[in-house]
Amino acid sequence: MTKINTCEAIFCSRPMDLSMLRNVLTVALHSSRRKSRKAHYNAPSGVRRTIMSAPLSKELREKYNVRSIPVRKDDEVTVVRGTNKGRDGKVTNVYRLKYIIQIERFVREKSNGQSVPLGIHPSKVVVTKLKLDKDRENILERKGKGREAKLKTKQ
C-alpha cells in the first residue's frame, strides 16, 4: 500500500493510501437513487447547463456532426413531446434553477386572466436554429472533431 504524505488537493494533513485518494477525486456518480437525486437537485449552475442539453435537428446534426448542445436564449426549438408537440418558437429564458426553458408564445392563462410562461424541459425539444457566437462555434468544432476521431478509431 503506497502512502501519500501531503494531500493538498483535499486539504488534509494525515497520510492516505492511493485507494482513498482515488475515491475522493472521482466524480460522484451513484447508483443509489437517493444520492443521484441529491446530486441532481444540488448541482451547480455549470453542471445544470450541461444537463439542460437538447438534441439538434437532423440538418444541424449532419452539418456540425454533433448530436446535442446546451440550450441558450435565442435558439429556435420545436417541441417534440407533450401537449405542445409540433409547435416551435424562440427560447426566451433558460431557467436553470427549475431545469426548464421558456419559449415565446408558450403561455397559460391564470384564473385571474394573467398569462404565465410555460416551462418545458430541454430534452423534450429539438434545436432547429442555433444562435452562434465565437464560443459556441468553438464548442461545436471541438465536439465535431471528437466524434470524427471516434468514428475513425472504430473503422
Side-chain angles (χ1 to χ4, degrees):
M1 189 174 351
T2 309
K3 296 282 185 183
I4 299 172
N5 291 326
T6 56
C7 177
E8 295 167 352
I10 51 177
F11 308 106
C12 65
S13 57
R14 64 190 175 103
M16 298 177 66
D17 61 81
L18 283 175
S19 63
M20 287 174 65
L21 184 66
R22 194 174 307 114
N23 290 341
V24 170
L25 296 178
T26 54
V27 177
L29 292 174
H30 300 284
S31 59
S32 164
R33 176 177 163 84
R34 179 201 294 184
K35 291 179 182 178
S36 296
R37 284 175 57 84
K38 182 176 182 181
H40 180 77
Y41 290 108
N42 292 329
S45 183
V47 175
R48 285 175 186 248
R49 178 179 169 272
T50 54
I51 291 171
M52 294 179 68
S53 293
L56 298 179
S57 65
K58 288 182 181 175
E59 298 82 33
L60 291 176
R61 199 180 298 176
E62 288 172 10
K63 182 178 179 182
Y64 296 111
N65 198 21
V66 174
R67 187 170 184 83
S68 65
I69 193 162
V71 180
R72 72 169 280 183
K73 187 177 175 180
D74 295 331
D75 281 349
E76 290 183 18
V77 296
T78 301
V79 179
V80 292
R81 289 284 182 274
T83 55
N84 294 306
K85 183 177 182 177
R87 290 179 61 191
D88 53 350
K90 190 180 280 192
V91 176
T92 56
N93 189 10
V94 179
Y95 206 145
R96 289 188 191 171
L97 187 68
K98 292 184 176 180
Y99 285 106
I100 60 165
I101 60 172
Q102 294 170 349
I103 305 169
E104 66 181 6
R105 299 186 314 273
F106 279 64
V107 291
R108 180 181 160 268
E109 291 290 322
K110 286 171 63 171
S111 59
N112 64 3
Q114 189 179 0
S115 61
V116 181
L118 281 176
I120 297 170
H121 195 274
S123 66
K124 307 305 178 198
V125 301
V126 170
V127 178
T128 54
K129 188 177 177 190
L130 293 166
K131 181 182 184 202
L132 289 175
D133 58 3
K134 210 178 280 186
D135 292 331
R136 211 142 192 234
E137 287 173 357
N138 292 340
I139 291 168
L140 287 167
E141 188 178 322
R142 178 173 44 87
K143 286 181 87 173
K145 282 182 183 176
R147 282 190 75 137
E148 287 172 10
K150 201 173 188 181
L151 287 172
K152 286 180 184 175
T153 57
K154 282 186 177 180
Q155 292 174 353

